[in-house]
């Protein structure tokens, strides 16, 4: 339409993914505080003279000004007109394989848990910021941070594994069998064939990661962490119905604290 000017609006966002577009542009996938997940074109950011290309790398927390319709009418792609770095977490572990791959799994999960563009998801936004900050600070083992993120993200999505009651009949208690198709722990009467039998310490770890009890989580043994990671990954990918590309690349050394 002649004379039409695109609206400018601001939001803070996490950079989830970047894709090349043409010779000098990129498409940036953002999880924003107020506008949910959206995609925006950042023009010229691959040129060495770009003013803000380095601020639009994966895992960064940024303050971004976008040109387009905040409600998403018309084209789904916005344009980045300005960006300021708030915390560029990716720069702090770019060369650290365990933390980089865990961050990649977090970013891919955030994208998969927001299937509808522009649907606000403040809790997931804050959870993603917190997980990337925890990876950057290195206060907890990388796999624990990732598994805590996956468990809490599934809680927001309504997929949390049942840990304190039978997933089928609701009988309270920490039941010893765990069935991914059934939804978590199951009592002896509801236990389906092929259910796993994780150690009680593994279920305790899953509960601690879900609730944020880092005293229990940090004290978990190596074997417990490995079993927990396997159950969490299986539960998540069952509900997503399509595997995460980045999850098999994660370094599953539970002693890693880099």
């Amino acid at each position: 339409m002649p004379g039409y000017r695109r609206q400018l609006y601001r939001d803070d966002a996490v950079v989830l993914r970047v894709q090349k577009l043409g010779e000098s542009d990129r498409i940036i996938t953002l999880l924003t505080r107020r506008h949910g997940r959206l995609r925006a074109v950042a023009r010229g950011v691959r040129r060495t003279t770009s003013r803000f290309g380095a601020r639009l790398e994966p895992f960064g927390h940024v303050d971004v000004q976008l040109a387009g319709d905040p409600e998403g009418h018309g084209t789904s792609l916005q344009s980045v007109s300005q960006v300021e770095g708030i915390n560029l977490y990716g720069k702090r572990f770019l060369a650290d394989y365990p933390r980089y791959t865990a961050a990649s799994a977090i970013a891919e999960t955030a994208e998969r848990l927001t299937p509808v563009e522009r649907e606000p998801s403040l809790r997931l936004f804050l959870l993603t910021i917190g997980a990337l900050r925890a990876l950057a600070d290195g206060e907890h083992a990388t796999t624990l941070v990732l598994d805590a993120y996956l468990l809490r993200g599934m809680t927001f999505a309504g997929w949390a594994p049942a840990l304190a009651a039978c997933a089928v009949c609701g009988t309270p208690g920490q039941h010893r069998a765990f069935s991914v198709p059934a939804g978590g722990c199951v009592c002896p009467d509801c236990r389906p064939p092929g259910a796993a039998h994780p150690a009680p310490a593994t279920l305790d770890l899953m509960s601690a990661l879900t609730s944020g009890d880092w005293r229990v989580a940090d004290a978990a043994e190596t074997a417990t962490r490995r079993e927990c990671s396997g159950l969490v990954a299986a539960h998540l990918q069952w509900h997503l119905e399509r595997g995460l590309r980045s999850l098999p690349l994660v370094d599953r050394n539970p002693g890693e604290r880099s």
Side-chain angles (χ1 to χ4, degrees):
M1 179 182 297
Y4 171 75
R5 296 185 63 184
R6 303 185 81 188
Q7 194 174 343
L8 294 177
Y9 63 100
R10 300 192 75 90
D11 206 341
D12 65 310
V14 182
V15 179
L16 299 181
R17 184 159 56 103
V18 299
Q19 299 165 270
K20 293 179 180 179
L21 179 66
E23 294 184 359
S24 60
D25 305 337
R26 280 179 175 163
I27 296 176
I28 314 296
T29 301
L30 301 165
L31 179 61
T32 69
R33 181 183 293 271
R34 291 181 293 277
H35 298 89
R37 179 181 59 81
L38 54 83
R39 296 184 305 148
V41 176
R43 304 202 179 279
V45 294
R46 292 167 58 199
R47 299 192 187 110
T48 56
T49 56
S50 171
R51 291 178 293 114
F52 50 72
R55 302 170 201 161
L56 287 173
E57 293 295 333
F59 322 131
H61 182 198
V62 296
D63 177 0
V64 63
Q65 179 173 277
L66 299 164
D69 188 331
E71 303 303 320
H73 301 305
T75 178
S76 62
L77 281 176
Q78 309 291 282
S79 294
V80 176
S81 62
Q82 192 177 75
V83 61
E84 296 295 336
I86 298 174
N87 252 310
L88 303 182
Y89 296 117
K91 291 184 178 296
R92 295 166 60 182
F93 49 74
L94 188 62
D96 186 305
Y97 183 82
R99 288 194 287 176
Y100 184 86
T101 53
S104 298
I106 287 169
E108 186 180 356
T109 301
E111 190 170 354
R112 296 284 294 279
L113 292 180
T114 51
V116 179
E117 286 195 358
R118 300 185 167 280
E119 187 173 279
S121 183
L122 178 59
R123 291 196 300 169
L124 185 63
F125 170 80
L126 295 175
L127 179 67
T128 304
I129 291 287
L132 293 173
R133 182 188 305 118
L135 287 179
D137 291 345
E139 293 181 3
H140 306 289
T142 299
T143 53
L144 292 180
V145 173
L146 173 59
D147 288 338
Y149 179 85
L150 299 179
L151 283 164
R152 294 181 206 178
M154 285 191 283
T155 299
F156 298 160
W159 305 334
L163 298 172
C166 175
V168 178
C169 70
T171 301
Q174 189 185 77
H175 304 290
R176 291 295 307 275
F178 189 98
S179 170
V180 169
C185 292
V186 286
C187 70
D189 291 337
C190 298
R191 183 179 64 233
H197 290 79
T202 300
L203 300 177
D204 289 340
L205 176 56
M206 293 176 71
S207 296
L209 292 173
T210 302
S211 65
D213 188 344
W214 287 104
R215 179 186 60 81
V216 171
D218 289 336
E221 299 292 334
T222 295
T224 301
R225 296 183 187 186
R226 286 190 184 279
E227 189 171 44
C228 173
S229 293
L231 290 177
V232 171
H235 194 83
L236 173 67
Q237 296 190 107
W238 170 270
H239 286 282
L240 289 177
E241 299 180 350
R242 180 164 55 89
L244 294 175
R245 294 186 303 273
S246 54
L247 204 54
L249 303 177
V250 173
D251 187 339
R252 289 294 184 180
N253 175 6
E256 182 64 59
R257 283 184 171 271
S258 58

